[in-house]
Amino acid sequence: MSASVLFDAPGPKARVRNLIYSVAGSIGLVALIAWVCYRLYDKGQFAGELWDIFNYAGIRQNIFDALLSTLKVFALAGVFSLAFAVVLCVARLSDHKPVRWVAVVFIDLFRSIPLLITIFALWVGILGDMTPMWALVLGLTIYNGCVQAEVLRAGVNAVPKGQVEAAYALGLRKTQVTASVLFPQAVRSMLPSIISQLVVTLKDTSLGYIILYPELLYSARLIANNTPVGGVYPTVQTVIVFGAIYIGLCLVLAWLAKFVEQRGRRSKAGIVPTAAEQPEEVAAPGDVAKPSDVSKD
């Protein structure tokens, strides 16, 4: 049966109406794009000489330095947030009610507060005189650690209860069960979500421009607002260049997630028992032993 059981197949009038809506929507979208392009062309944003600013060594060095600053903050925040997520997840799953409730309140609080407010509050002096870099790193660590903790908790809860009971039956303590049974499987099952949140962490480094940290977005604003060519600021060109950099970094993370996932599958499927572990063949009823199988006295 080709027709869907979730809705009735459209009749002749409905098909005509849907076609009209589709054509009208497509025309409206094309008209909007054409209007935007015309406005940009009218302001001189499509002039070829606007790309010349990226030929200057100073501009290229500025972009390279901003990229290194972004990657440094991302690396620190990524590692710290994952470590912090493990601590929060363990506290969230604790048998001690006070510890569990403290973790719940902390996670819900900092997941509810906008990340920009957290970063700005850290920068203006809640924890003393803090540099923009460490304010950004700490803000990203707190927020993304809370999110990653919930991701890990979902992975831990997805582990079959029989494996936990079997581990306890073998005499393992709760710490050993968590470290050797729960977390390895939780990380493996939730790896796509973990990598997705790391991509969010990478993009959230752009909030550093609010506290004057020289990351990619801060560098893009400086280039777009302070290097006019013929009285025209290279806004479109800057957006294209820096947007391509962000897209490239996110694609690298996506490729890394796919690579790790494939390696994990190959490591699980590629285990071959050794000769000592291979079971002996059992002769079927009525089989006659070959002369070579009979030992000589």
Side-chain angles (χ1 to χ4, degrees), residues 16 23 35 38 57 72-73 84 90 136 138 169-170 196 208 226 237 253 255 266 273-274 280 288:
V16 173
V23 172
W35 180 79
Y38 171 76
K72 179 170 64 174
V73 169
F84 190 45
V90 171
L136 182 59
L138 186 57
L170 293 175
S196 297
N226 298 292
Q237 290 73 18
L253 280 177
W255 174 84
R266 285 200 299 267
T274 60
E280 298 180 357
V288 180

Side-chain angles (χ1 to χ4, degrees), residues 188 262-271:
R188 181 176 296 172
Q262 290 177 348
R263 283 292 300 270
R265 290 177 179 177
R266 285 200 299 267
S267 63
K268 290 177 63 179
I271 299 176

Side-chain angles (χ1 to χ4, degrees), residues 268-293:
K268 290 177 63 179
I271 299 176
V272 180
T274 60
E277 296 174 345
Q278 292 178 353
E280 298 180 357
E281 295 183 0
V282 180
D287 288 349
V288 180
K290 298 180 180 178
S292 60
D293 297 335

